[in-house]
Amino acid sequence: MTKPTVIPGQGSQEGEEDLLLKHMHQVAESRGGRYAVHLHLSKLKASNRTPHFLRIAARSFENLESSHDAALFRMTNQDLVLSCRDVPIDEIDEVLFKVRTLFSDDPMTAAQEGSLDDRFTTWYDLAQEEDLANFKKAIANLQVQAEHIKDERERAKKAVEAARGMAGKPLTPKNLVGINQILQSTRISDLVRQQAAVRILPPDHGEILFREYFVSMADLQKRVAPNVNLFSSNWLFQYLTETVDKRMLVIVGRLDFSRAKGPISLNLNISTVLSQEFQNFHHVVGEYTDKVVVEIQLNDIFADVANFHYAREILQSCGYRVLIDGLTPLSLQFFDPGVLMADYVKITWGPEYAGDVPPKRLAEMHETITSAGKDAVVLTRVDSETAIKWGLKLGIQRFQGYFVDKLVERMVEKGIV
Amino acid sequence: MAELPCQENLLLDYLRRLESQKEGRKAVRIMLSGLRPFNRRKQHIRAAVSSFEPLVEDLRGQLFSLKSLDLMFIFKTSALPQVETVVQKIRFLFSDDPLLENEAGSDKKFVVWFDVAEQFEEILHTVQDLVEAKTRQVSEATEHRMDTRAMLKARQEKGEPLTPAVLARVEQALISADLSNLVRRQFICAFDQKMRPEPFFSELFISISDLRETVVPGVSLTANRWLFQHFTETLDRRMLAMLSKTDRITISGDISFNLNVNTLLSNEFLTFDDNITASRRGSMIVELQQVDIFADLGAFIFAREFMQDKGYRICLDGLNHQTLEIVDRERLGVDLMKIIWSPELVDRGSEMHNKIRHLIHKAGENRVVLCRVDNREAIDFGRSVGITLYQGRHVENLIAEDNRRKDLFKIKRRIERSSEGKKKRKKPLE
């Protein structure tokens, strides 16, 4: 089985949707034993739809394509469509199973293959008129989506070019040198934002837990490296945050802690906590250490757990509170944050968790949250009421995010904060 | 500098004086250290301490407030009812804490009672341990803290810290460098009853210290965690290139090597994978660092499924006594795990030992490796908790010794055979 090779979404005149239609046309005469499987990869959560994930998923079908009458089409919306004839279902199942396990952390693959709840694949028996008609409808649908996506891409590209936003050259050690130097001397105090974490008390009350001070990274990038994507290397970005830390300590250190109403929080690397700069900051804070929460990233902790415990003990014994940032509902499945003995634990919400999480997993998460101390858990990036409901269901009462900002505004207006 | 007497030392001193009159006394230890942090704030500790004050004022007992936040109260048996009331009050204070909620079915207790006369030795040991732990903490403190003095010291001992500029230079140099002479190989072995090594697989790695001496003498490549982590991604690509050209390094048996999750998802790896035969995949073990795994768990899970499906095995590298307590390894779904040897593993006591035993039991035979084994003590410890696989300098020495023994044996056999031959040859002459 041959089909023209096309790199999807890379400017080919004829999209894979068109090729699929053409293919359907070619095989229209002999539909006996022919069937199609539509894999709805576009419905996976965003973090699972990165190009290298999708490339690897598509490669899983290579053997099938070379040994059978089977052809894989990669749709513009990232779905895959497999068309084949007389291929033993068991062999297809085997490959589908592999692909499912690749995405096993995704809510999309939670349901059993072929079960009523299964939204991962749709099968079409093309020998049946009804299925054939439905399949054609599905392709038409994919074509519409493809057009839409292409328009969208075009617009996004222009927007990026105009704003010189996140895209750009990758961050390398070479350009890091210059960026780091600029970062040390450029004014950044005007890029510092605040966001409150709030304890929500029914029916319509709230109290502010702390206000997080942070630098908007998108704005920072525009200022210090408009042509470089600071997020292209996880590790080099982390390195830059060490410099940001030191600038932040100076900026936040200018606050009058004796008159600050509530606690503030700021993100720091463990190496920063153990640095001279933090000692200077500590000097400024004086006796008001209980008004400062230090947020530490989970991956920083896993880089050296002993060092974390050492820093945590110093901070806590001085009266600071320690918060662990960067957990997700996913990471809760792999370890119990309670063991890290922090005062707070921040879990990052994502809309992909809104779907149906199997009850067993939900129960486990509930247990983990109880063990961490539900009064210690803050759900962050809360952008909708769904997120708050999800949190409340798990016993979480503390929230942070755009949606919470709006709530806080309303509460402030009503004078109930 | 003279050290101020801390409560641990005072307690030890008090116990020694008590030795001659230990009858009619009891002790109770309140494990505030086991509470969750939100229950261990200053006001909580103060509340607990002040509950004992009336008893102390009445001279019914002595209270020691330890560095770990635990309280130790030693009192006359006649005061037991009052002490029980106080303890009950403190329990009530923390009744919402998981430690108290789960106390019934757990060995972790909030309150431990002692009879001083009967359990004197036990108390004494506990306190001695506390004093030692405190001294150790002090010495660790000087190790971690990066003040000016510490930085100067590190610079003298380990070299200039790596900067982005130097890293850029090093990475540039590595693009074309042939690193095959820097590749080292260490065997992961099991041992039989006579301590003879049986190789299980071998790890190939690029010696960072040799690399440093060759490329950037005087610079500490590991000084900045994040820059070093980025650097390892460059090394990954060199390693893959070398493994593709097997004529450069002769490899026999199963091998393992370190890679980053990012590398596994890169084009370089896919090309590497395309070019090796399916059967070789089965003989390869990819070692991943936990910092890398937890930097993006989603990517790790994806990569793990992809790799295991291809037939590679995955090894979680770099577990230590602290991470063993945190990570749920079963769920991580790796094939092998490496625990870094440290005397701390022994010092952590039976709770840690049981944890490792449990881990090995769950993981199955020959799944857990004790690495950086540099002395016999490590192997003895490993055996005591059921570890069967070892890696490190000491293991290499044992292999060398075993090889020498085998060589000697061969020579001996040859001498024997040749002398037998001489005898045989002599015979017809007779």
Side-chain angles (χ1 to χ4, degrees):
Chain A
M1 174 103 243
T2 53
K3 79 184 174 68
T5 42
V6 176
I7 304 155
Q10 295 203 350
S12 69
Q13 284 305 306
E14 213 169 8
E16 288 257 304
E17 289 79 9
D18 301 320
L19 292 175
L20 176 57
L21 266 186
K22 220 180 229 176
H23 165 78
M24 285 303 295
H25 199 70
Q26 282 163 5
V27 301
E29 294 308 308
S30 54
R31 298 206 318 267
R34 182 161 290 281
Y35 59 91
V37 186
H38 182 175
L39 283 83
H40 303 276
L41 300 190
S42 60
K43 297 210 174 72
L44 291 168
K45 58 185 192 188
S47 58
N48 271 332
R49 279 187 277 116
T50 61
H52 45 250
F53 281 25
L54 296 169
R55 192 170 55 225
I56 288 170
R59 281 169 68 108
S60 312
F61 292 90
E62 276 175 2
N63 276 342
L64 214 57
E65 282 186 285
S66 59
S67 57
H68 289 287
D69 182 352
L72 185 76
F73 297 87
R74 296 175 65 172
M75 301 293 109
T76 311
N77 77 346
Q78 301 177 325
D79 281 356
L80 297 177
V81 175
L82 183 73
S83 161
C84 37
R85 193 175 157 213
D86 291 333
V87 182
I89 302 287
D90 284 349
E91 290 189 32
I92 305 278
D93 278 349
E94 206 179 297
V95 180
L96 288 180
F97 179 74
K98 278 184 199 171
V99 177
R100 286 181 91 97
T101 49
L102 284 176
F103 301 107
S104 55
D105 71 309
D106 198 288
M108 257 292 278
T109 62
Q112 189 90 37
E113 168 87 45
S115 73
L116 273 179
D117 300 324
D118 187 15
R119 295 174 296 143
F120 191 62
T121 54
T122 312
W123 291 65
Y124 299 94
D125 176 359
L126 300 180
Q128 309 288 330
E129 287 302 330
E130 197 188 339
D131 273 24
L132 180 67
N134 285 336
F135 185 52
K136 281 183 177 161
K137 261 186 233 162
I139 300 176
N141 205 354
L142 286 166
Q143 271 181 313
V144 174
Q145 282 189 44
E147 287 303 317
H148 186 69
I149 291 166
K150 274 177 199 153
D151 287 353
E152 208 45 22
R153 263 189 210 150
E154 203 54 39
R155 204 153 9 114
K157 214 170 117 193
K158 277 183 194 149
V160 163
E161 276 166 10
R164 289 233 174 244
M166 289 302 166
K169 284 180 284 180
L171 187 61
T172 64
K174 214 169 186 175
N175 55 28
L176 182 61
V177 180
I179 294 170
N180 201 34
Q181 250 158 25
I182 297 171
L183 190 55
Q184 282 166 13
S185 52
T186 309
R187 187 168 67 106
I188 64 164
S189 52
D190 56 326
L191 302 181
V192 175
R193 310 265 178 273
Q194 285 182 36
Q195 193 172 47
V198 177
R199 179 177 177 204
I200 291 184
L201 302 160
D204 198 13
H205 271 60
E207 67 183 26
I208 291 183
L209 202 60
F210 54 78
R211 282 180 194 281
E212 180 179 352
Y213 280 64
F214 62 96
V215 179
S216 150
M217 284 297 164
D219 293 341
L220 186 70
Q221 155 154 5
K222 274 185 213 156
R223 186 164 297 174
V224 302
N227 302 318
V228 179
N229 180 359
L230 296 184
F231 305 95
S232 59
S233 159
N234 185 13
W235 310 122
L236 297 184
F237 176 73
Q238 282 284 351
Y239 178 80
L240 275 182
T241 64
E242 291 184 349
T243 307
V244 176
D245 284 358
K246 287 168 187 167
R247 301 293 314 272
M248 277 299 276
L249 282 175
V250 174
I251 293 167
V252 175
R254 288 190 204 124
L255 296 173
D256 183 353
F257 287 97
S258 66
R259 286 166 58 192
K261 263 190 239 146
I264 61 117
S265 84
L266 77 167
N267 262 281
L268 293 178
N269 281 278
I270 295 169
S271 59
T272 309
V273 175
L274 300 176
S275 72
Q276 186 68 48
E277 284 82 354
F278 189 79
Q279 284 185 29
N280 300 344
F281 175 76
H282 178 58
H283 199 68
V284 175
V285 175
E287 57 184 304
Y288 301 103
T289 51
D290 59 338
K291 287 186 178 174
V292 179
V293 179
V294 175
E295 304 201 6
I296 295 177
Q297 289 290 326
L298 186 65
N299 59 352
D300 196 9
I301 295 172
F302 275 106
D304 188 342
V305 180
N307 221 21
F308 163 71
H309 279 304
Y310 176 69
R312 175 187 58 76
E313 266 166 31
I314 290 181
L315 288 170
Q316 288 176 336
S317 68
C318 290
Y320 294 99
R321 271 166 294 172
V322 175
L323 179 149
I324 300 172
D325 192 11
L327 275 83
T328 61
L330 176 67
S331 54
L332 285 184
Q333 293 172 33
F334 294 96
F335 83 108
D336 169 9
V339 215
L340 294 175
M341 310 280 254
D343 301 273
Y344 297 111
V345 173
K346 227 184 221 186
I347 300 174
T348 307
W349 158 259
E352 62 265 27
Y353 300 108
D356 6 283
V357 179
K360 193 176 155 236
R361 254 189 210 178
L362 214 57
E364 283 168 357
M365 267 190 252
H366 200 283
E367 196 183 307
T368 313
I369 286 166
T370 316
S371 141
K374 62 185 183 339
D375 294 341
V377 176
V378 181
L379 193 67
T380 190
R381 302 262 173 93
V382 166
D383 54 3
S384 64
E385 197 164 357
T386 323
I388 296 203
K389 280 187 182 151
W390 186 88
L392 288 172
K393 205 164 65 187
L394 287 173
I396 299 171
Q397 291 179 344
R398 287 150 180 82
F399 300 91
Q400 185 185 29
Y402 293 126
F403 187 75
V404 179
D405 294 345
K406 281 187 233 156
L407 289 182
V408 173
E409 246 170 67
R410 275 218 304 276
M411 287 173 189
V412 170
E413 278 165 19
K414 290 186 195 161
I416 48 178
V417 171
Chain B
M1 196 172 68
E3 206 180 323
L4 285 173
C6 63
Q7 293 263 307
E8 281 78 3
N9 285 328
L10 288 176
L11 173 56
L12 193 60
D13 192 47
Y14 180 78
L15 275 174
R16 288 197 176 122
R17 279 187 287 128
L18 211 61
E19 194 166 4
S20 52
Q21 39 185 322
K22 54 196 177 196
E23 296 299 327
R25 279 196 164 78
K26 285 191 179 295
V28 60
R29 182 172 176 192
I30 317 280
M31 314 287 256
L32 297 179
S33 61
L35 297 170
R36 293 293 153 141
F38 51 83
N39 275 327
R40 282 190 275 123
R41 309 237 65 87
K42 275 181 212 149
Q43 65 268 29
H44 296 122
I45 311 298
R46 257 201 312 270
V49 168
S50 64
S51 330
F52 283 104
E53 260 160 26
L55 287 168
V56 175
E57 279 164 18
D58 281 357
L59 304 177
R60 311 293 291 271
Q62 276 273 19
L63 183 73
F64 297 89
S65 185
L66 307 176
K67 185 90 182 121
S68 65
L69 302 182
D70 287 356
L71 301 179
M72 182 74 122
F73 188 62
I74 301 179
F75 57 96
K76 294 181 180 132
T77 309
S78 58
L80 184 60
Q82 290 95 314
V83 177
E84 278 175 339
T85 315
V86 169
V87 169
Q88 204 49 44
K89 241 170 76 185
I90 298 176
R91 267 185 185 283
F92 184 71
L93 211 58
F94 300 110
S95 53
D96 66 331
D97 194 279
L99 176 66
L100 280 91
E101 278 177 359
N102 309 327
E103 205 180 6
S106 156
D107 347 323
K108 275 196 179 170
K109 297 276 182 248
F110 179 56
V111 176
V112 185
W113 297 90
F114 299 95
D115 185 292
V116 176
E118 278 172 29
Q119 293 166 282
F120 187 77
E121 288 301 314
E122 197 178 319
I123 303 176
L124 197 62
H125 276 141
T126 314
V127 175
Q128 276 164 345
D129 283 351
L130 288 172
V131 172
E132 269 170 36
K134 200 176 163 287
T135 348
R136 201 164 49 219
Q137 260 179 11
V138 171
S139 68
E140 268 178 26
T142 43
E143 240 172 70
H144 288 279
R145 183 114 227 169
M146 281 314 258
D147 56 15
T148 318
R149 181 190 151 278
M151 267 187 300
L152 282 169
K153 190 159 179 271
R155 190 165 297 177
Q156 284 175 0
E157 285 168 3
K158 295 172 186 152
E160 290 288 326
L162 185 62
T163 62
V166 176
L167 178 60
R169 225 174 57 220
V170 175
E171 292 193 351
Q172 187 61 36
L174 285 191
I175 291 176
S176 51
D178 176 11
L179 300 184
S180 45
N181 58 332
L182 296 177
V183 174
R184 304 281 173 268
R185 188 179 190 183
Q186 253 185 7
F187 283 89
I188 289 80
C189 291
F191 288 97
D192 66 10
Q193 285 306 316
K194 289 182 177 165
M195 284 301 283
R196 280 182 305 219
E198 300 163 36
F200 202 67
F201 62 94
S202 60
E203 180 183 351
L204 295 175
F205 57 94
I206 296 170
S207 159
I208 299 290
S209 55
D210 292 351
L211 177 72
R212 178 186 106 157
E213 286 316 311
T214 321
V215 191
V216 271
V219 173
S220 165
L221 290 170
T222 51
N224 182 286
R225 164 125 13 236
W226 309 124
L227 294 182
F228 179 71
Q229 208 60 40
H230 184 267
F231 175 61
T232 61
E233 291 185 0
T234 308
L235 287 183
D236 285 358
R237 287 191 287 276
R238 302 305 302 157
M239 191 60 151
L240 286 177
M242 276 187 284
L243 287 170
S244 306
K245 301 178 200 143
T246 36
D247 54 318
R248 294 283 189 86
I249 331 162
T250 44
I251 315 167
S252 54
D254 289 1
I255 55 159
S256 74
F257 44 92
N258 260 281
L259 290 180
N260 284 278
V261 173
N262 255 341
T263 307
L264 295 179
L265 300 169
S266 69
N267 278 326
E268 281 92 345
F269 185 78
L270 295 183
T271 313
F272 166 81
D273 177 64
D274 279 341
N275 291 331
I276 62 170
T277 56
S279 60
R280 271 200 76 199
R281 291 183 192 129
S283 70
M284 289 184 170
I285 300 159
V286 171
E287 302 196 9
L288 299 173
Q289 295 292 328
Q290 59 184 354
V291 56
D292 189 29
I293 287 178
F294 279 93
D296 186 348
L297 265 172
F300 159 70
I301 292 169
F302 186 94
R304 181 200 68 199
E305 296 293 349
F306 164 62
M307 294 294 287
Q308 288 178 338
D309 177 59
K310 286 263 178 188
Y312 298 96
R313 277 169 289 169
I314 302 285
C315 174
L316 172 57
D317 192 11
L319 287 169
N320 59 31
H321 59 93
Q322 263 152 335
T323 43
L324 273 171
E325 288 180 346
I326 299 172
V327 182
D328 190 335
R329 295 149 306 268
E330 276 170 63
R331 294 230 174 120
L332 285 176
V334 293
D335 303 285
L336 288 150
M337 282 160 271
K338 278 191 181 175
I339 302 176
I340 298 176
W341 157 250
S342 126
E344 276 274 328
L345 288 172
V346 183
D347 298 348
R348 286 286 162 128
S350 57
E351 202 179 326
M352 171 60 66
H353 304 168
N354 286 334
K355 208 158 234 164
I356 301 176
R357 268 189 212 108
H358 181 74
L359 162 72
I360 289 159
H361 178 72
K362 285 265 180 181
E365 213 185 334
N366 292 343
R367 293 297 190 101
V368 178
V369 180
L370 192 64
C371 65
R372 304 217 197 140
V373 165
D374 47 16
N375 55 33
R376 174 67 202 240
E377 188 197 357
I379 299 184
D380 289 341
F381 168 76
R383 288 192 157 178
S384 76
V385 294
I387 293 175
T388 50
L389 297 175
Y390 301 89
Q391 175 187 10
R393 272 208 312 266
H394 185 61
V395 177
E396 295 298 309
N397 291 343
L398 290 173
I399 295 173
E401 214 171 90
D402 189 55
N403 286 342
R404 269 197 300 278
R405 195 181 52 78
K406 280 180 186 155
D407 284 347
L408 276 176
F409 186 69
K410 269 187 218 153
I411 294 169
K412 200 176 144 214
R413 284 295 300 270
R414 207 171 291 156
I415 294 170
E416 277 171 7
R417 242 179 284 140
S418 73
S419 59
E420 268 171 34
K422 272 178 204 156
K423 271 183 213 158
K424 273 180 201 156
R425 243 179 286 136
K426 273 182 188 167
K427 254 184 186 171
L429 286 177
E430 277 171 6

